[in-house]
Every structure is written in structure tokens, then in C-alpha cells.
Amino acid sequence: MKWTNHAWQHIQPLYSDILAMPFIHELKNGTLPLDKFQFYMQQDARYLEHYGRVLAYLGSKTPDNDQALDFFDFGKNALIVERALHESYFTQFGIHEVSDAADLEPVCHHYVHFLKSTAAFDPLEVAMAAVLPCFVIYKEVGDYIIATQTNRANPYKNWIDTYSGPEFAIGVQKAENYVNAMAENTTEAIRAQMLDAYVKASQMEFKFWEAAYNKTAW
């Protein structure tokens, strides 16, 4: 079994909890209150600024040129392509533009610094595993919503289409392939650290949406 399949199976109870969250349920139905979505988008915009830099940093650390270029692209997409989606939503939903000085609220702050510290101090394989859930869980949630939604006039359609689209799926598969290759060529001890990082990042994905729904601030 590929390492990513093993890791995904390991977090199935957590993924089930994610699908049952009020935030995801109401996002799917188009009934998520606007103020909760606004809070989410503001925090997500700040998160992606840091996430994109972590991805680019990981690209700079890998000795494989193709992998480096792909992770540079992943970072660019986080900073530019997905930010464009945010900007369109800022206009559509009356969200205030996020300045560089805007607060990272507690969960976003924790998630960002978890990824940065893992990238800086842990083996590259572990850091690669830590950034993977943000790819995989968003794709799976996007696919789930597309398959089960009933509101075709969903105001959050652009968000749903982004993460259920084929272009995003290609990036997810590339990232998984790289992590699988690294897992095959490392030690059992490192693979255990990889799984721990993958699980913690997955938990942070749950906490991020939970914090948005509750508008958790300092």
C-alpha cells in the first residue's frame, strides 16, 4: 500500500468528522452565514500567504529539480491563483481586504507556525507530509460537495468548483507522488514522524473550519 493511502486511511474518523461539521454542511447547502464565511476567507488569505512560502521553501530543499519546480509552482498557486479567488470573493461578499498587519487568529497562527517549524527543523520527508493534508482534504471535501450538493445556485459555488476541479486534482496527485517516493526511500522511524505530522496537519484543517464557524479570535 502506498504511504499516502495508509495515511488517508489512518485519518478516516477525522475526515468523517470534517464532513459532519456545521461549516462544511452549510457550505454544501449554501446556507453558511455570511459572517462565518467572511471570517474564514480573511484567515484563509493570511494562511495561504504563509503556506505558499513554506511550499517554495520545501522546493528549495529538495535535490530533485522536477520536484523543486513543482513545489515552487504549488507555492506560486497558493500566493497568486487562490488569492485571485479570494479577491473575487472579497468583492462579492463585502469582505474587507486583508492587510499584512491583520491578525492571524489563534488557530490560523498555530497552523502556520506548525508548518513553518516542521519545515525548518524536521526532516524534509516529515515537512512534505505536513503540507499534504491541505491539498488532499480540500480536494476530497470539494469532490464530496460536488457529488452530494442539491443547491445548484449555491453562493459558494466558486470555492466548491476550485477544489473539485481537475487542475487542482493534478496538483494533489503530484504532491502525493512525491511524498510516496520519499516514504519508500526513508526509514521506518521517519515514516512514523511523517504520519504524526500528517495527522496533526489534518487535525488543524478541522480546527481551522471549526474556528471559522465559531469566529474564534484572540
Side-chain angles (χ1 to χ4, degrees):
M1 179 184 293
K2 293 181 179 179
W3 185 89
T4 54
N5 292 338
H6 168 68
W8 181 247
Q9 286 186 1
H10 193 83
I11 66 158
Q12 281 308 290
L14 175 62
Y15 179 63
S16 295
D17 289 343
I18 287 173
L19 296 184
M21 299 180 77
F23 187 97
I24 299 301
H25 180 73
E26 294 173 16
L27 182 73
K28 181 186 75 169
N29 295 333
T31 59
L32 181 69
L34 178 59
D35 63 322
K36 298 181 188 299
F37 188 73
Q38 288 173 328
F39 185 98
Y40 164 74
M41 291 301 291
Q42 287 180 320
Q43 289 301 295
D44 199 40
R46 292 304 315 277
Y47 167 82
L48 286 171
E49 293 172 10
H50 294 274
Y51 184 62
R53 287 170 170 79
V54 170
L55 292 172
Y57 175 69
L58 295 182
S60 74
K61 291 181 69 176
T62 178
D64 182 282
N65 287 337
D66 289 336
Q67 183 173 349
L69 290 172
D70 280 331
F71 270 81
F72 293 152
D73 281 342
F74 296 155
K76 180 186 72 175
N77 289 340
L79 291 166
I80 298 176
V81 177
E82 296 187 55
R83 183 62 186 270
L85 175 66
H86 288 142
E87 288 172 351
S88 69
Y89 267 48
F90 288 170
T91 300
Q92 182 180 354
F93 292 103
I95 302 171
H96 295 299
E97 184 62 41
V98 179
S99 71
D100 290 340
D103 279 345
L104 295 173
E105 299 297 359
V107 172
C108 184
H109 183 277
H110 186 168
Y111 196 2
V112 162
H113 285 81
F114 163 70
L115 294 178
K116 285 184 169 181
S117 63
T118 302
F121 297 110
D122 288 333
L124 181 60
E125 297 93 337
V126 177
M128 291 288 190
V131 299
L132 197 56
C134 187
F135 282 94
V136 177
I137 291 176
Y138 268 64
K139 176 189 178 299
E140 293 293 334
V141 168
D143 289 348
Y144 164 77
I145 292 176
I146 283 290
T148 60
Q149 67 179 345
T150 57
N151 182 4
R152 300 300 174 183
N154 193 323
Y156 305 119
K157 181 178 184 296
N158 286 350
W159 187 97
I160 296 165
D161 289 346
T162 295
Y163 295 110
S164 62
E167 185 175 349
F168 187 69
I170 290 170
V172 172
Q173 188 60 64
K174 281 184 177 181
E176 287 192 310
N177 289 344
Y178 287 131
V179 173
N180 282 326
M182 298 181 85
E184 288 177 4
N185 292 287
T186 193
T187 66
E188 191 61 38
I190 294 296
R191 282 192 288 270
Q193 293 180 53
M194 291 172 67
L195 182 60
D196 183 64
Y198 186 96
V199 170
K200 283 187 170 61
S202 299
Q203 291 168 336
M204 292 308 304
E205 291 293 333
F206 177 94
K207 291 293 185 182
F208 199 98
W209 281 318
E210 182 182 59
Y213 197 81
N214 296 328
K215 298 174 67 177
T216 304
W218 293 107

